Amino acid sequence: MISLKTVEDIIKSLEAWISPAWAMAQDRVGLIIGSPEQPVDHVMIALDVTEDVVREAIEKNVQLIVAHHSPLFHPATHILTHTPEGRLTKMLLAHDIAVYVMHTNFDVAPGGMNDLLAARLELQNVQVLEETWREKLYKLSVFVPLEARDRVFMAMGNAGAGHLGHYSHCTFQSEGTGTFWPRDGAMPAIGTVGELTRVSEVRIETIVPEQRLQTVIEAMIAQHPYEEVAYDLYPLANSGAVLGLGRIGELQQDMTLLELAEMVKTRLHLKGLRMVGQPEQMVRRVAVLGGSGAKYMEKAWRKGVDVMITGDVDYHDAMWASARSWAVIDAGHHLERIMKESVRSYLENVYRSSEQSLLVSVSEREQDPFHFVL
Ligand SMILES: [Zn+2]
């Protein structure tokens, strides 16, 4: 019998890509409403969990909303159902709709918000603007009888061990002799209780990022024939991937600020945007930061960036940039809706070959609260 997927299953799939550990310290991410045990056959992706979005979820029979912005960002001390916020929580609970949030962990993720933005503008030589997280790496070495070598190391590689750049399943394997003496109560796969046993074994060494460690060890033990699996785990001083907020990169060619603004507007399907700087000034090096990036403007400016594209730029931020003849494009916070299609296609890919189909949709009803009157 095929059992229905649960909220927990979907979370596991999402967290294989976007770790909650990558979120900024004050951020609230993860499952914030609902139960991990809730069965799911329809997931909806949304930027914000508004009342319109929840109504849409109810009409579509959605059991899980995956959102970028949490509806419970401020610590909730009261749930008053005559307020829009309380009403929203009540609607979600009454219809058993869970909410899972990927916020700053999605912003910094490889392939997350800021990479998506950089890709839309076809930026070259893309780097992180503000480093927030550096992946820890471990060396894992395990001793396996020769005949189980392939299935153990393939399982480890499939679970994420030995990934270096564009290569996976990177290991070093050396053969030798393992010894063991099964004592009373042991149930050895090879050898006899009370006798010293020598076995031809292979030592498989590989590198594992902290995020994949548990999965890799579980996969390794599941495929290993021994009752007691001998393995060593060493923390490494080598640095893993660097994650962070915002991206810096170069446009494919020099252009005027106005041309870039038009390009941003077209590629992000915006009704309008605001710009600080002279329309004719030339730009090539660009910083992008989805959401509220004003806090990182100075950093981008110091790094010699010609123009920063972000949202929520206020009057004083604009004055600061203007005083330095520096350019800023405020494309609005709502541009972050580009996350929806990317999360949808990720989940669809993960569950494409699964026996139990999962419907993944994106919210079509959410709207930018700002309107342009020109
Ligand atoms: Zn945001």
Side-chain angles (χ1 to χ4, degrees), residues 19-261:
S19 168
W22 299 339
M24 307 286 280
Q26 303 305 318
D27 203 5
R28 290 174 182 84
V29 298
L31 184 64
I32 59 151
I33 294 178
S35 160
E37 290 152 20
Q38 163 83 37
V40 180
D41 64 15
H42 190 169
V43 180
M44 188 171 80
I45 322 294
L47 175 60
D48 292 275
V49 186
T50 61
E51 219 168 300
D52 283 343
V53 168
V54 179
R55 273 203 205 92
E56 183 181 359
I58 295 167
E59 283 166 31
K60 288 179 170 174
N61 286 318
V62 162
Q63 302 91 7
L64 171 63
I65 298 175
V66 175
H68 186 53
H69 296 140
S70 172
L72 296 179
F73 195 81
H74 304 288
T77 53
H78 302 64
I79 299 174
L80 302 176
T81 51
H82 69 293
T83 66
E85 293 75 17
R87 201 158 58 226
L88 192 93
T89 308
K90 182 182 172 184
M91 282 166 77
L92 288 163
L93 291 173
H95 290 87
D96 279 330
I97 299 171
V99 177
Y100 180 81
V101 171
M102 306 191 293
H103 187 220
T104 51
N105 50 334
F106 186 77
D107 291 334
V108 304
M113 188 71 79
N114 291 300
D115 277 341
L116 289 172
L117 267 174
R120 283 281 176 110
L121 302 176
E122 292 172 274
L123 297 187
Q124 315 291 305
N125 307 317
V126 176
Q127 292 172 346
V128 164
L129 171 63
E130 170 85 3
E131 180 182 331
T132 57
W133 200 86
R134 203 172 267 250
E135 188 175 55
K136 286 199 189 79
L137 294 176
Y138 289 82
K139 168 63 68 81
L140 174 61
S141 59
V142 59
F143 303 85
V144 187
L146 282 177
E147 69 276 10
R149 172 212 306 244
D150 287 353
R151 67 170 204 261
V152 173
F153 104 81
M154 285 305 288
M156 291 165 73
N158 293 344
H163 283 243
L164 292 172
H166 295 293
Y167 298 86
S168 70
H169 299 76
C170 301
T171 66
F172 185 81
Q173 306 187 1
S174 46
E175 293 180 18
T177 304
T179 67
F180 49 86
W181 194 323
R183 299 285 168 178
D184 286 347
M187 301 210 304
I190 303 172
T192 315
V193 173
E195 279 177 26
L196 181 69
T197 307
R198 292 171 209 271
V199 185
S200 292
E201 289 185 347
V202 57
R203 171 191 166 112
I204 303 172
E205 293 178 52
T206 189
I207 200 162
V208 189
E210 187 175 39
Q211 194 205 344
R212 309 296 303 161
L213 204 52
Q214 204 189 333
T215 324
V216 168
I217 291 175
E218 280 170 14
M220 173 186 84
I221 290 175
Q223 290 304 321
H224 201 292
Y226 286 0
E227 190 181 9
E228 301 293 344
V229 176
Y231 66 91
D232 302 321
L233 193 58
Y234 313 89
L236 294 180
N238 311 35
S239 165
V242 170
L243 305 186
L245 290 170
R247 298 290 182 268
I248 293 179
E250 282 133 39
L251 294 166
Q252 285 184 317
Q253 61 197 53
D254 292 1
M255 58 180 77
T256 66
L257 178 59
L258 187 60
E259 283 166 339
L260 175 63

